[in-house]
Amino acid sequence: MTRAPHLPLAQRRELVLDAALRVMSRTDGPLSVDAVAAEAGVAKTVLYRCFVNRDDMVAALEQRESRRLTDELEAALRAADSPDRVEAMGQFLQTYFTGVTNAPDSYRLIYDRPSPRASRLLQEARATVARHLAPLFNGDGTSAALFVGVVEAGARLVLEGERPHERAVALFAALTEESSS
């Protein structure tokens, strides 16, 4: 095992969380503190300086990755700057699905292994995004919330190697046409 260099606590915490994410992506069971310490190249005592216990580390990881998810969604919303609603949604989906492609372990943690805490954070992110999308559906919050589910399903397809972008844009076009009737 190669020893990690001495780093400030905040920086060490991030490196330990990165290691925890890698370990979680390889295992189905509970996160092992020993495995995370080995992956991070630190002694367990260093890990316990960063986090009170395993649950604290998992909570911090879920919080960080949920924040990443929300940040990706908000970046995707900012990218959707076309006055044409369908084109704007196409930009949104492309930006979001690219984010999923670039950080698959983060999305798997949130979508595939949700703890009650991660589920609550995901629910908050869904509500935020639905509020931002509602204007694209002529203010129809229900259609926006339904489309958030479509976006999540698309993210899962991206994680499986699919490219659902064009089909999701077509669905958006159909839903917005329906909501304007």
Side-chain angles (χ1 to χ4, degrees), residues 136-180:
L136 295 174
F137 290 92
N138 297 322
D140 181 354
T142 301
S143 292
L146 286 170
F147 197 73
V148 169
V150 170
V151 171
E152 286 182 19
R156 286 185 178 95
L157 289 172
V158 169
L159 292 172
E160 294 170 7
E162 301 267 337
R163 298 219 15 101
H165 171 72
E166 293 80 15
R167 285 175 279 174
V169 171
L171 179 59
F172 172 76
L175 285 172
T176 56
E177 183 177 302
E178 181 76 20
S179 70
S180 61

Side-chain angles (χ1 to χ4, degrees), residues 35-165:
V36 173
E39 180 75 22
V42 300
K44 283 194 325 186
T45 55
V46 172
L47 193 141
Y48 285 119
R49 275 187 230 131
C50 296
F51 301 99
V52 174
N53 55 32
R54 185 189 77 79
D55 290 340
D56 183 43
M57 181 175 52
V58 171
L61 179 61
E62 290 172 343
Q63 182 71 38
R64 184 184 81 170
E65 299 311 310
S66 295
R67 191 174 342 107
R68 180 188 308 234
L69 172 89
T70 302
D71 291 348
E72 287 288 336
L73 287 167
E74 289 175 354
L77 288 165
R78 286 189 302 275
D81 63 1
S82 173
D84 177 81
R85 293 186 314 166
V86 174
E87 186 177 319
M89 187 50 63
Q91 292 167 345
F92 167 80
L93 292 168
Q94 186 64 47
T95 303
Y96 183 65
F97 291 159
T98 297
V100 173
T101 301
N102 291 339
D105 292 340
S106 298
Y107 288 87
R108 284 188 182 98
L109 172 69
I110 301 302
Y111 287 137
D112 294 343
R113 296 177 69 143
S115 68
R117 178 180 40 250
S119 294
R120 181 181 38 75
L121 295 168
L122 183 56
Q123 201 59 23
E124 291 169 7
R126 284 180 183 132
T128 298
V129 173
R131 276 192 307 276
H132 286 292
L133 290 177
L136 295 174
F137 290 92
N138 297 322
D140 181 354
T142 301
S143 292
L146 286 170
F147 197 73
V148 169
V150 170
V151 171
E152 286 182 19
R156 286 185 178 95
L157 289 172
V158 169
L159 292 172
E160 294 170 7
E162 301 267 337
R163 298 219 15 101
H165 171 72

